Each structure stands twice: as structure tokens, then as C-alpha cells.
């Protein structure tokens, strides 16, 4: 290209990237027309200094910057573009107090953010490079997971199986505030970030019910054993002196220590109150 020509650079929306580098090494013209499409920004870096250009037509006078070895780079930015991501952040242990069992609960959520400062986000993601939604997604994912491990586990301790979704909903409000503060300095505005639900292992509801039933049966067995021991202790303290004329009666009947009703000798349970003899 001849040095006297005027060249044009177009910054158009790029759906593949949030911020992307535009090749300028081949431009040798003294005067460059920079056309920034609607919804975009352009950031021109000359010798480390950043110059921001909004939507419209701009004239750049680069002189012989490229030929003299000066560093010139141009970035395109999707301004005020909304991105949405879904997150799955692994599993967090949840103690089900009713079933007396710890289960791994899957957590998932979603995040919505807007890029508004190309210079900040370029610095936050490592200088002059193309930054895709995937790059931001990975960073959000790590922060999201780190936060959940430290905070959600504490929250789950205060809720049971029936109110766990409510606990997650309450946490989302704190999560959104935390993320807004965290990413604001990186040129990313978090407009919405929430933990949308929990995922229990398959067939856990049935397994949970079986555990609860087994726990209930165990309690009933322990109660019966306790009552039996109390009954035996009561017999050892009973006055065994009986009138002689009642000897034949005692051989055929037994009186219940709980309700006092008469039962046939050899009966295992009282037919009136059901206590085990």
C-alpha cells in the first residue's frame, strides 16, 4: 500500500467474541478512517496508551507509527451486549437430618452479564487477545464454584430436604451482589446471577423414604425393648405372697401390669392394652 492513501477500518459486531483484536499490521497509510458500527466500541492502543472510540466515523493520524517500530493495536468491543450462561458447579454435601443421611446435591445456576468497558476487560483477561464468551464463562465458573463451596454449605445446614430450594433462592440474592462487586472492576456488569435449583441423585426420594421407615421401625423396636425391661423390673419388685385359695387361679390367668386386666396364662401380649408380657 502507498503511504499517501487513506484506508478504512470497520469495527462490526462480532458474535464469536466479546472483545477481539483487529489486525492493523498491513495498514501503512498516514490517514486511517475508523468506522465503528452501532453497538460496538473501538480501542486503539498506541505505545501502551488506550484511546476509546464510540459508534461513528473517526479519523486516525498514525503518521509512520508502524514503520518506526511503535506498537499499535486495535480492539473491537461488543458494547452493552448481553450474554447469558448456564452453570453446573459440581456437588455439595447436604445432610438430610430426617433421613440421617448425607447426600451429594448437584447445584446449577445461570448468569447474565453485559460488557461495558473494553479496556478493563482486555487487561483483566491478559492483554491483547481475543476474549470469547467462553473465556468469561470459565472465569465466572471458577468464581461461582469458589463462592458456592464457602457459602452454600453453610446455608444448607439450616434447611431440610423440603425447604432446600428456598435456601438456594435466598442465596441467589447474596450471590448476585457478590458477583457484581467482583466483576465490576473487570469491565463486566453482572445484571443477573442466580442458583436456580438443586439436583438430587436419581431415586433418592424413594431411598430417603426407605431410610425414614427403617429409622422409625428401629425406634419402635427400641421402645418395645424398653417397655419389656421395665415390665421385668416391675415383676422383680412385686410381692409374690398370694392367698392359698388363689393358687389355682394364678395357674390359669395373669394380670397385666399396665392396665390390670386379666389375661389367660401363656399369652404373649395383653389383649386389652397390647403390652408384651
Amino acid at each position: 500500500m502507498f503511504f499517501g492513501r487513506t484506508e478504512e477500518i470497520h469495527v462490526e459486531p462480532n458474535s464469536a467474541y466479546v472483545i477481539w483484536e483487529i489486525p492493523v499490521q498491513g495498514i501503512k497509510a498516514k490517514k486511517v478512517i475508523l468506522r465503528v458500527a452501532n453497538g460496538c466500541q473501538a480501542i486503539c492502543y498506541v505505545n501502551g496508551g488506550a484511546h476509546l472510540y464510540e459508534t461513528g466515523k473517526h479519523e486516525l493520524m498514525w503518521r509512520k507509527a508502524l514503520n518506526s517500530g511503535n506498537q499499535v493495536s486495535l480492539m473491537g468491543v461488543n458494547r452493552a451486549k448481553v450474554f447469558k450462561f448456564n452453570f453446573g458447579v459440581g456437588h455439595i454435601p447436604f445432610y438430610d437430618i430426617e433421613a440421617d443421611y448425607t447426600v451429594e446435591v448437584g447445584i446449577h445456576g445461570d448468569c447474565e452479564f453485559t460488557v461495558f468497558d473494553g479496556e478493563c476487560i482486555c487487561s483483566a483477561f491478559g492483554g491483547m487477545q481475543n476474549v470469547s464468551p467462553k473465556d468469561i464463562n470459565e472465569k465466572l465458573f471458577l468464581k461461582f464454584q469458589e463462592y458456592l463451596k464457602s457459602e452454600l454449605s453453610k446455608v444448607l445446614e439450616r434447611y431440610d430436604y423440603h425447604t432446600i430450594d428456598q435456601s438456594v433462592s435466598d442465596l441467589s440474592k447474596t450471590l448476585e451482589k457478590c458477583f457484581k462487586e467482583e466483576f465490576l472492576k473487570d469491565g463486566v456488569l453482572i445484571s443477573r446471577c442466580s442458583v436456580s435449583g438443586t439436583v438430587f441423585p436419581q431415586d433418592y426420594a424413594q431411598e430417603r423414604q426407605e431410610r425414614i421407615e427403617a429409622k422409625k421401625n428401629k425406634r419402635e423396636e427400641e421402645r418395645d425393648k424398653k417397655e419389656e425391661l421395665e415390665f421385668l423390673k416391675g415383676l422383680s419388685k412385686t410381692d409374690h405372697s398370694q392367698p392359698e385359695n388363689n393358687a389355682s387361679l394364678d395357674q390359669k390367668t395373669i394380670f397385666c401390669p399396665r392396665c390390670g386386666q386379666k389375661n389367660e396364662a401363656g399369652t404373649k401380649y395383653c389383649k386389652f392394652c397390647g403390652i408384651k408380657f
Side-chain angles (χ1 to χ4, degrees), residues 165-194:
D165 286 335
Q166 181 60 45
S167 71
V168 168
S169 176
D170 293 342
L171 181 67
S172 293
K173 300 173 184 177
T174 308
L175 179 70
E176 186 173 310
K177 180 181 178 182
C178 172
F179 268 42
K180 281 183 177 180
E181 295 174 355
E182 178 69 27
F183 283 91
L184 194 61
K185 61 180 178 291
D186 292 338
V188 178
L189 177 63
I190 302 294
S191 53
R192 184 174 60 83
C193 192
S194 64

Side-chain angles (χ1 to χ4, degrees), residues 156-170:
L156 292 181
E157 291 176 357
R158 303 194 297 269
Y159 291 81
D160 60 27
Y161 176 77
H162 303 288
T163 58
I164 187 172
D165 286 335
Q166 181 60 45
S167 71
V168 168
S169 176
D170 293 342

Side-chain angles (χ1 to χ4, degrees), residues 104-157:
E104 295 289 324
V105 179
I107 305 295
H108 58 89
D110 58 272
C111 185
E112 184 178 279
F113 66 90
T114 303
V115 174
F116 70 95
D117 189 333
E119 183 178 357
C120 286
I121 194 174
C122 184
S123 300
F125 284 84
M128 303 299 183
Q129 62 178 350
N130 295 336
V131 178
S132 68
K134 181 181 179 182
D135 298 323
I136 298 181
N137 183 23
E138 290 176 352
K139 185 171 183 179
L140 285 173
F141 174 83
L142 293 175
K143 291 289 183 181
F144 197 29
Q145 192 173 46
E146 179 183 342
Y147 180 83
L148 284 176
K149 285 182 177 179
S150 62
E151 297 297 327
L152 187 56
S153 296
K154 302 175 186 177
V155 173
L156 292 181
E157 291 176 357

Side-chain angles (χ1 to χ4, degrees), residues 4-276:
R5 289 185 56 184
T6 298
E7 295 194 32
E8 288 193 10
I9 298 177
H10 293 267
V11 179
E12 303 288 345
N14 190 328
S15 59
Y17 298 105
V18 178
I19 183 168
W20 65 100
E21 189 169 4
I22 299 170
V24 294
Q25 289 81 2
I27 297 177
K28 298 180 180 179
K30 179 179 180 180
K31 182 179 180 180
V32 175
I33 302 299
L34 178 64
R35 296 186 184 275
V36 183
N38 188 34
C40 293
Q41 282 181 332
I43 305 174
C44 182
Y45 293 88
V46 180
N47 292 334
H51 307 274
L52 182 65
Y53 299 93
E54 300 288 350
T55 301
K57 176 183 174 182
H58 309 275
E59 293 184 358
L60 307 181
M61 302 299 292
W62 283 356
R63 301 183 183 278
K64 293 184 179 181
L66 290 176
N67 293 336
S68 61
N70 295 340
Q71 296 298 314
V72 178
S73 181
L74 186 66
M75 309 295 292
V77 181
N78 280 325
R79 178 176 173 80
K81 183 172 177 58
V82 176
F83 295 88
K84 297 180 181 179
F85 292 106
N86 294 321
F87 293 94
V89 293
H91 295 80
I92 293 179
F94 168 65
Y95 176 65
D96 190 338
I97 189 170
E98 190 177 2
D100 191 20
Y101 181 65
T102 299
V103 60
E104 295 289 324
V105 179
I107 305 295
H108 58 89
D110 58 272
C111 185
E112 184 178 279
F113 66 90
T114 303
V115 174
F116 70 95
D117 189 333
E119 183 178 357
C120 286
I121 194 174
C122 184
S123 300
F125 284 84
M128 303 299 183
Q129 62 178 350
N130 295 336
V131 178
S132 68
K134 181 181 179 182
D135 298 323
I136 298 181
N137 183 23
E138 290 176 352
K139 185 171 183 179
L140 285 173
F141 174 83
L142 293 175
K143 291 289 183 181
F144 197 29
Q145 192 173 46
E146 179 183 342
Y147 180 83
L148 284 176
K149 285 182 177 179
S150 62
E151 297 297 327
L152 187 56
S153 296
K154 302 175 186 177
V155 173
L156 292 181
E157 291 176 357
R158 303 194 297 269
Y159 291 81
D160 60 27
Y161 176 77
H162 303 288
T163 58
I164 187 172
D165 286 335
Q166 181 60 45
S167 71
V168 168
S169 176
D170 293 342
L171 181 67
S172 293
K173 300 173 184 177
T174 308
L175 179 70
E176 186 173 310
K177 180 181 178 182
C178 172
F179 268 42
K180 281 183 177 180
E181 295 174 355
E182 178 69 27
F183 283 91
L184 194 61
K185 61 180 178 291
D186 292 338
V188 178
L189 177 63
I190 302 294
S191 53
R192 184 174 60 83
C193 192
S194 64
V195 186
S196 54
T198 56
V199 180
F200 280 84
Q202 189 176 7
D203 300 328
Y204 176 69
Q206 180 180 350
E207 180 184 355
R208 178 178 186 273
Q209 191 59 38
E210 291 174 355
R211 288 180 176 274
I212 292 175
E213 288 295 329
K215 192 176 177 181
K216 179 181 177 182
N217 293 336
K218 185 178 180 180
R219 285 198 302 266
E220 290 179 351
E221 289 178 2
E222 291 175 350
R223 184 189 62 193
D224 290 343
K225 288 181 179 179
K226 183 178 180 181
E227 290 179 349
E228 185 176 353
L229 288 174
E230 289 176 352
F231 170 68
L232 294 175
K233 288 179 181 179
L235 287 180
S236 64
K237 297 178 182 179
T238 303
D239 184 5
H240 296 286
S241 59
Q242 298 290 340
E244 294 182 1
N245 56 357
N246 286 340
S248 60
L249 179 64
D250 289 339
Q251 293 176 0
K252 297 180 180 180
T253 60
I254 184 173
F255 289 92
C256 177
R258 175 190 283 176
C259 64
Q261 295 295 327
K262 184 167 59 175
N263 291 264
E264 294 181 2
T267 305
K268 292 185 178 181
Y269 298 91
C270 176
K271 64 181 180 180
F272 296 97
C273 68
I275 187 175
K276 185 178 180 181

